Structure formats: structure tokens, C-alpha cells
Amino acid sequence: MEFEFLKLEIFIPETHFTVLQKALQNVDAGHIGNYDSCLSVSKVKGFWRPLDGAKPFIGNKNEISCETELKVEVTIKRVNLQKTLKAIKAVHPYEEPVINVLALLATGL
């Protein structure tokens, strides 16, 4: 079964939300009916430990970091996945951004 719509969960520092929002708008992510730029944002606590070879945006190598981040949720058409991921990675400050892609069985669309 192929899914027509996907939900992306993007974890990003609050300082980079506006540039991410614009990048998503530029690839028509969050377009629902007669509305565009539809997304949700939640504050979350993120934890990670940069290992040898890492170039962390925040934190120190071999130390666990804990920071408040934003979890951005947006619905996209599956056919737009690659261009949307490319747009996100172009503005995301993390060396290894966390972007979860979830298939949607149904939407309100």
C-alpha cells in the first residue's frame, strides 16, 4: 500500500524555527485545501552525546547534552518528500538532524 500523505517530525533549535518555516513554505509543505503553511510546534527536551568525530552545533564531545528544542510537525504529499527533506537539511544547523517520516493512513484532507 502506498501512502499519499506523510507527516514529518523535525527537531530543531528554537533559534532556527523561522528559517525552517520559510523553507517548508517554499516547497509547499503543510498545504491543506485552501490553506498553506500549516504546521504544529511543541517544545521538547532533547538529549544527545556527541561522539569522537562529531562536530556538534550544541554540546561537547563525549558529554550528554540536554536542551530545549522545537518539534515541528507538518503534513506533506509523499511525492514531495525528497525536495522537502533537501529544503530542511539546507537550513538545519545540526550535523545529523532528526527528521522522522511517518506514513499517514488517513488525514482530514
Side-chain angles (χ1 to χ4, degrees):
M1 169 187 241
E2 287 200 24
F3 299 96
E4 184 179 357
F5 295 98
L6 306 171
K7 179 173 86 168
L8 303 184
E9 297 177 339
I10 307 151
F11 295 83
I12 194 162
E14 201 165 352
T15 56
H16 287 72
F17 171 72
T18 303
V19 69
L20 173 65
Q21 185 178 29
K22 184 67 175 169
L24 292 171
Q25 184 181 41
N26 287 340
V27 293
D28 205 29
H31 191 140
I32 300 172
N34 292 326
Y35 297 84
D36 73 358
S37 305
C38 301
L39 54 79
S40 298
V41 178
S42 305
K43 285 191 177 187
V44 297
K45 286 280 190 185
F47 294 83
W48 63 92
R49 181 173 65 167
L51 301 175
D52 290 335
K55 296 176 183 146
F57 176 72
I58 300 171
N60 300 307
K61 289 181 186 175
N62 298 311
E63 294 179 14
I64 293 180
S65 295
C66 172
E67 296 285 336
T68 299
E69 298 177 292
L70 296 180
K71 175 181 165 184
V72 178
E73 299 178 69
V74 65
T75 300
I76 66 167
K77 290 185 176 182
R78 183 184 56 78
V79 297
N80 294 335
L81 177 60
Q82 292 310 313
K83 76 175 183 178
T84 304
L85 291 175
K86 183 177 178 180
I88 294 166
K89 290 177 182 180
V91 300
H92 204 295
Y94 293 171
E95 182 178 18
E96 300 288 345
V98 176
I99 305 166
N100 297 325
V101 179
L102 301 103
L104 297 175
L105 292 173
T107 70
L109 300 176

